[in-house]
Amino acid sequence: MNQEHWYKLKTPEHIISPSLLVYPERILQNIRTMIDMAGGTTNLRPHIKTHKCAEIIALQMEQGIHKFKCATIAEAELLASCNAPDVLLAMQPVGANLNRFVSLTKNFPDSQFSTLVDNKTTCDRIAAIAEKNNITIAVYIDLNVGMNRTGIVPSSEAIGLYKDISENSFLSIQGLHAYDGHIRNPDPASRKIACDTTFEKVEALKEQLLAAGLPKPIIIAGGSPSFPFHCRRNDVVKSPGTALLWDCGYGDLFPEMKFIPAAVLLTRILSKPKAGILCFDLGHKSIAPEMAFPRVKFLTLEHGKQIGQSEEHLVVEYDDLKVLEVGECHYAIPKHICPTVAKYDSLLVVEDGQVSKEWKVAARNQKISI
């Protein structure tokens, strides 16, 4: 297959559209790039929210990655069923998920589970359910370092929470978790300054904890945009996610990063309703619809402008209809791959220009069995 057209299928006529194609050699290249940037696997804890797929977990484990991060109980269960030794649920468990988390620890004793907390009320509830089940639950304190989505601001309150956890016999304090997803400046130098400035708060908190005689915290920091900068820190665990499959959203924002697209949408022209308009079968149900246009980067359509989308349709203005026919196959990289993967039951695996197998998106839903 021509390297320029690496994404194309030799015989696409029998493949349903829309479909999400994945390319194992490119995924493996991204995994190796990730490991190389991190200086090995010791301080690497990739997030599986992007792919939710057992086969991609296996690819990572074959490369020596054994610590993982996830967002749902289903993703945690998937990791445990893949024999992942170390699983962090990076979503504070509340409501029914408290009991589900305990069930995970009982059903998969060979995996070490941990989770996040950011307030004393939830901490007390986790401790109570641990005591009831005569187990110890490992926790990290989730820090709000500027995204204002979850976490506790690095402060005396955070120190008090850390101390409370360290003194509770049913909890095991592990460290600090700091997700800086708000840092997205496309200029690498400016992004590094923002990342380093934000991380100073985490380092200051760590020093305060040590000065207070509390256990030394493991620090887990960052996502894909800040990954290159956290890789320069020796004593920090890095947790990229999107980097495994990459997308045109991050690719356009951060062209200096060496990750490559490893997932491509196969789509077809549904209709040419009038001159200058094409309609593709890429509606809200097929790609993440929360981004502004363009929502995909066409690899086979050079000068189209995406102007509308509904449940089943993507409408594109185009200025040369003579070479394009209804039913014609096209390829596009999603702007946001993580929620796009969740639209599909399975990923179609492409090897040597052919669909060779399917990989189930096993943790697509909120529940597998627990």
Side-chain angles (χ1 to χ4, degrees), residues 18-260:
S19 288
L20 187 56
L21 314 176
V22 292
Y23 303 76
E25 288 185 4
R26 295 175 76 87
I27 296 172
L28 189 57
Q29 182 175 330
N30 283 339
I31 294 170
R32 288 171 174 163
T33 297
M34 181 188 300
I35 293 171
D36 184 61
M37 289 174 66
T41 61
T42 301
N43 287 327
L44 193 56
R45 186 186 284 272
H47 208 311
I48 75 157
K49 67 176 178 75
T50 298
H51 57 82
K52 310 172 190 291
C53 181
E55 289 81 358
I56 297 178
I57 293 169
L59 285 176
Q60 292 174 89
M61 291 183 67
E62 287 166 7
Q63 295 300 308
I65 297 172
H66 297 296
K67 295 190 290 287
F68 295 90
K69 183 168 150 181
C70 62
T72 68
I73 297 291
E75 291 172 8
E77 182 176 350
L78 174 62
L79 282 162
S81 68
C82 292
N83 299 313
D86 190 334
V87 179
L88 168 63
L89 176 66
M91 184 80 79
Q92 181 167 241
V94 296
N97 282 343
L98 284 166
N99 284 313
R100 294 177 72 203
F101 183 78
V102 170
S103 295
L104 275 174
T105 67
K106 291 183 173 181
N107 288 6
F108 296 96
D110 293 334
S111 293
Q112 176 185 320
F113 294 95
S114 55
T115 191
L116 304 183
V117 294
D118 68 7
N119 67 90
K120 191 173 187 310
T121 299
T122 302
C123 186
D124 289 345
R125 287 173 179 163
I126 293 175
I129 200 168
E131 182 176 8
K132 180 180 178 181
N133 287 273
N134 196 31
I135 60 173
T136 301
I137 294 179
V139 297
Y140 289 81
I141 291 183
D142 188 24
L143 297 177
N144 178 6
V145 291
M147 193 165 186
N148 298 326
R149 185 175 69 180
T150 65
I152 182 173
V153 173
S155 62
S156 59
E157 185 181 359
I159 295 172
L161 184 60
Y162 195 96
K163 183 173 185 293
D164 287 346
I165 295 170
S166 69
E167 293 173 348
N168 192 302
S169 58
F170 294 98
L171 300 177
S172 174
I173 188 65
Q174 300 295 300
L176 307 171
H177 174 269
Y179 178 60
D180 51 14
H182 60 294
I183 299 174
R184 290 168 173 255
N185 194 311
D187 175 59
S190 298
R191 194 164 75 254
K192 181 182 184 301
I193 291 170
C195 179
D196 291 346
T197 301
T198 297
F199 194 72
E200 286 174 2
K201 304 170 189 175
V202 181
E203 290 183 315
L205 180 61
K206 173 186 173 181
E207 293 305 315
Q208 290 174 302
L209 294 172
L210 294 176
L214 295 169
K216 181 180 179 181
I218 297 168
I219 298 176
I220 302 170
S224 294
S226 59
F227 179 58
F229 315 119
H230 291 303
C231 281
R232 301 176 189 181
R233 311 187 205 282
N234 294 326
D235 203 20
V236 171
V237 179
K238 303 86 177 169
S239 56
T242 304
L244 283 154
L245 296 180
W246 212 227
D247 55 29
C248 69
Y250 276 178
D252 290 345
L253 274 175
F254 316 124
E256 81 284 356
M257 296 180 72
K258 295 180 180 179
F259 299 108
I260 58 174

Side-chain angles (χ1 to χ4, degrees), residues 7-8 297-302 318 324 329-332:
Y7 50 86
K8 284 193 174 182
K297 177 180 284 187
F298 278 98
L299 297 169
T300 46
L301 194 71
E302 292 183 1
Y318 193 66
L324 300 174
C329 183
H330 287 267
Y331 300 84

